[in-house]
Amino acid sequence: MARGELRIYLGAAPGVGKTYAMLEEAHRRAERGTDVVVAFVETHGRKHTTAMIGGLEVLARKRVTYRGAEFGEMDLDAVLARRPELAVVDELAHTNVPGSRNAKRWQDVQALLAAGISVLTTVNVQHLESLNDVVARITGAQQRETVPDAVVRAAEQVELVDMTPEALRRRMAHGNIYQPEKIDAALGNYFRTGNLTALRELALLWLADKVDDQLGKYRAQHGIDKTWETRERVVVALTGGPEGETLIRRAARIAARTKGADLLAVHVARNDGLAGADPARLARQRVLVESLGGTYHHVVGSDVPQALLEFARAVNATQVVLGASSRGRFAQILSAGVGATTIARSGTIDVHLVTHERANQGRRRTRMPAALSRGRRLAGFAAVLIGLPALTALLKVGPSLSLTNDILVFLAAVVGIALLGGLGPALLAAVAGSLLLNWFFTAPIGRFTIAEGDNLLALAIFVVVALAVSWVVDTAARKTRQAAAAQADASTLATVAGGVLRGERPLIALLERLRETFGFDSATLLDGGEVAAETGAPGCSRAADADVEVRVDDDVVLLLRGHPLEASDRRIVEAFAAQAAVALRQERLSAEAAAAKPLAEADRMRTALLAAVSHDLRTPLASAKAAVAGLRSDEVHFDEADRKELLATAEESLDRLDRLVANLLDMSRLQAGALGVNAVDVGAEEVIPRALDDLGADGRRVRLHVPDDVPSVRADPGLLERVLVNLVANALRYSPADRPPAITVSGHGGVLELRVIDHGPGIPPDRWDDVFLPFQRLGDRYNHTGVGLGLALSRGLTEAMGGTLTPDETPGGGLTMVLALPVST
């Protein structure tokens, strides 16, 4: 069975017209003869959207009962049984009511696609998992319903339904998105021009990445390796040399000239795994690349220019930045070098050769470590001085051999000496062997002259072969030793990395592993002259007190105490020092983020308070103003009953306004830590009646169960009364008329629990924390289970008195708020 196709309409914000555009496409498909059904569409009361459903087959919603309330969800089984060619499913990120087949609607859509049914659906950018936190920081509203990016990226088509912020705000003002009572709050909060502009840019950039992925797949499927300059991508090649930082900054400036350009750094390592770059310097350059918004990549290849260009073409790069060759002029004459070869093979990719301080100065010669130990080299020289004369004497006194056989015997001796002592003894053996062969075995005997040309050629070939074999043997031994060292370094790195990953504090774990691995007494990381991290004892705070000093940059220095560091271990220790500097920066960034979190929370609260001022206060003000204006009007005559009703309306509205202002002020004091709490011994039987009296006639509907022997609590009577008023008011709002809420009181374990029980629709357990978030009112769907400021303030007041406020399930359906306070001592 062929899998269905998914088409998603992506919007930057509610109201841009995603559902309308989806229904337009459904009509076009139906007119072309496609079997189309509307599985689920949420119109939000928008008349134009509702009108678009006309003419399409609409499947009935499945009624799901949860906690005594009934909800309408998409009937997945009915759609699968109907088996249309195309199903219209709105709101991809929607969370299904508990008891549905799947937890999320996008999982329902996956089931339809697997059954061969194509789907049209919608989603807003704030519901994409990867952008959820970004949108929350921009708008101050956390969206709880998300869809994995992979689901959206896997769609065959993603169409952006775009609208300018100004046009969307006009649509909002005309009442085409939200109900009139919500318009002012929406325009002043979520639908601010800056918010909409940022959300629009996020949607455009996300879709651009999706299109870029599709282009990459198309190019791969059709074997296209030529660069298509659809987007500027700058690749900078790093060798691990000191010029790397210059190249990275130059490439970053090139990328910055074009909006949306990508910066990619790549290091090409040879596939023999032996000739590697400085890992510490590469680690620092990687940090620099990522700090400039780029990405770092590592590829392996035997041909560096070819591997570099293959990477550039794979990422569809438009420009490559290389450093000018640091080889000397003579070396450049012998071979073109990486830069010149890359330019010759680059094709349509622009190549920038950037000069630097070491350009054309020749590579610094580094003393190569000996391939063999000192003892084996001495043994090789001894074999030359003793073995070759002994071999000569043996050949002279033994059976007479031809010159060719004599040369082969000496060649075997040279190979043996090369295996024993390496290159130096083998070179000496080759020269000495040629002289011995000339003097003792080549006519005329006893003279360094050669009578026949053939003998001269044979001796020359002997010398060349002996030198070549010596070189090969020495190189093989050197490579073997380098491979063993590389394997040891890799094992050390793996051990240290594993220890760091398992540790709770990566920096301390890294320093501790480094100290243990190399046997140091202490390891200290200094930053700007101050001790940033330290492990072991005794530590040191000055370079003069350390046995080893490894400088990462101008500020960060690693000091090791215990013993001097072997030269062969210095590179790996430098790599660890660079990683320690990265871990230090990450710890400090985490600390800064933690410090900024309360500030961000306070800012979010200020935004919510402003939203409340523009929305929650408007209704009671408008009601009170209308009542007073009516009483003062000379155009209308009111009888006594009407006057009393208007006065009652004004009084009720002003009382509501007084409560709202008190809640706002108390929440502000809570956030500022300035709320005064006057804790005294108070009984629940004193506070509960006063709280119910504040609720008027509705308060008399509440059922009470307060035992006579409950202990007093230590609390502020006024604040406790406020908390109970908010809790009971919320319970009354959601309880059915025939099942009023109840308050029960019980004490145990030094804690008094007051339970406010309602029998309403309840709230799913995974949303319990959400009820304490103030002002969660905006989004594509109206949150019927959401609450405003009351519960957020109630929890804050309860915690200020040393208590807790937690939700619980009501048996049979509903929500129970458990208020726990310490009893009096």
Side-chain angles (χ1 to χ4, degrees), residues 209-418:
D209 286 338
K210 159 74 175 174
V211 173
D212 193 63
D213 291 342
Q214 290 177 328
L215 178 61
K217 292 178 182 177
Y218 177 86
R219 284 163 50 85
Q221 291 170 357
H222 293 78
I224 301 172
D225 56 4
K226 294 182 179 179
T227 300
W228 287 3
E229 299 179 4
T230 56
R231 185 172 182 175
E232 203 71 33
R233 285 186 176 84
V234 182
V235 171
V236 53
L238 302 178
T239 65
E243 74 280 358
E245 294 185 0
T246 301
L247 301 181
I248 292 169
R249 292 189 172 93
R250 177 62 172 161
R253 290 195 296 272
I254 294 173
R257 295 172 185 168
T258 305
K259 180 70 172 178
D262 293 333
L263 173 64
L264 301 92
V266 60
H267 171 66
V268 180
R270 296 188 182 276
N271 57 8
D272 56 14
L274 300 177
D278 185 347
R281 187 174 282 123
L282 276 177
R284 292 194 295 269
Q285 291 172 2
R286 177 174 187 166
V287 173
L288 176 60
V289 169
E290 293 173 349
S291 69
L292 293 172
T295 57
Y296 178 86
H297 306 267
H298 185 96
V299 298
V300 178
S302 57
D303 186 342
V304 174
Q306 184 66 25
L308 173 61
L309 289 173
E310 286 178 356
F311 173 81
R313 293 190 178 103
V315 299
N316 204 23
T318 56
Q319 302 184 62
V320 172
V321 177
L322 293 167
S325 177
S326 59
R327 301 183 307 154
R329 295 185 181 277
F330 181 73
Q332 294 184 41
I333 294 174
L334 296 178
S335 64
V338 173
T341 306
T342 302
I343 292 174
R345 301 178 184 176
S346 63
T348 58
I349 301 177
D350 296 337
V351 179
H352 302 264
L353 279 181
V354 179
T355 187
H356 49 88
E357 293 181 355
R358 293 188 55 202
N360 299 317
Q361 292 183 5
R363 292 178 179 169
R364 296 179 181 177
R365 296 290 180 181
T366 56
R367 186 177 181 273
M368 295 293 292
L372 300 174
S373 65
R374 186 170 180 269
R376 288 186 61 177
R377 295 199 305 275
L378 291 176
F381 283 115
V384 174
L385 297 176
I386 298 173
L388 289 186
L391 179 61
T392 302
L394 182 63
L395 291 175
K396 291 298 289 184
V397 300
S400 178
L401 300 175
S402 65
L403 179 61
T404 302
N405 290 329
D406 292 334
I407 290 175
L408 290 176
V409 172
F410 269 86
L411 182 60
V414 172
V415 172
I417 291 171

Side-chain angles (χ1 to χ4, degrees), residues 456-477:
L456 176 62
L457 177 61
L459 287 174
I461 292 175
F462 165 77
V463 173
V464 171
V465 172
L467 293 176
V469 170
S470 302
W471 179 266
V472 170
V473 171
D474 182 80
T475 301

